[in-house]
Amino acid sequence: MSETILLQSASDVFASAGSAEVFLLARLLFGFVLAFMGLNHFMMTDGLAGYSEAKGIPAPRLATLFSGGLLIFGGLSVASGAFVVLGAGAVAVFLLLSAVTIHNFWAVPEEQQQDEMTQFLKNVVMAGAALAFLSFASAPWPYAVGAGLV
């Protein structure tokens, strides 16, 4: 019995009809949502810093502004296809860290658990998407700037 393993090369990933456009749409949706979330950190700095402080985050105002900048950079990185390793990687790490430090639903009063669990799960799912984009970072992306460190 012979089994054949079919491996796709990086150049074949976007060869099927419409896949390049669907990938672009996914990048734009994901990236612009992240960038908007980052802008929100700047528009609502006091409220988010207060929430971070209540969760025990050190230097909450600085952390809010830094994370806002990171989300903007990461979102625009994925959307544009520039510096994807940095952008998607940083976003994945941030989302996983903030899921367990900020949205720790297991450690809040019962009336807050559902909201925190929803935010926790949102961060985990988005971290998964960032990791998926990161896994394609070495392939040439269609409709991308293509700038990177390597």
Side-chain angles (χ1 to χ4, degrees), residues 1 3-4 6 8 14-16 20 26 29-30 34-35 37 62 65 102 106-107 112 131 135 143-144 146 148-149:
M1 206 183 286
E3 290 186 34
T4 302
L6 185 61
Q8 244 179 334
F14 304 108
S16 63
L29 291 171
F30 182 74
L34 285 174
M37 288 169 54
L62 180 62
L65 294 172
I102 298 287
W106 55 90
Q112 296 173 4
L131 291 171
S135 73
Y143 308 109
L149 296 177

Side-chain angles (χ1 to χ4, degrees), residues 57-137:
I57 303 299
R61 185 172 184 80
L62 180 62
T64 298
L65 294 172
F66 177 79
S67 61
L70 185 142
L71 288 168
I72 292 169
F73 167 74
L76 294 178
S77 167
V78 171
S80 69
F83 302 101
V84 177
V85 172
L86 277 177
V91 164
V93 169
F94 165 75
L95 288 168
L96 290 172
L97 286 174
S98 65
V100 296
T101 58
I102 298 287
H103 303 300
N104 54 344
F105 64 91
W106 55 90
V108 298
E110 189 174 343
E111 63 273 2
Q112 296 173 4
Q113 284 181 348
Q114 187 61 54
D115 288 340
E116 290 293 357
M117 184 186 296
T118 298
Q119 295 304 314
F120 174 88
L121 294 173
K122 178 231 2 146
N123 277 24
V124 171
V125 165
M126 290 184 76
L131 291 171
F133 284 116
L134 182 59
S135 73
F136 281 101

Side-chain angles (χ1 to χ4, degrees), residues 3-22:
E3 290 186 34
T4 302
I5 298 175
L6 185 61
L7 298 176
Q8 244 179 334
S9 73
S11 61
D12 294 338
V13 172
F14 304 108
S16 63
S19 64
E21 291 75 17
V22 169

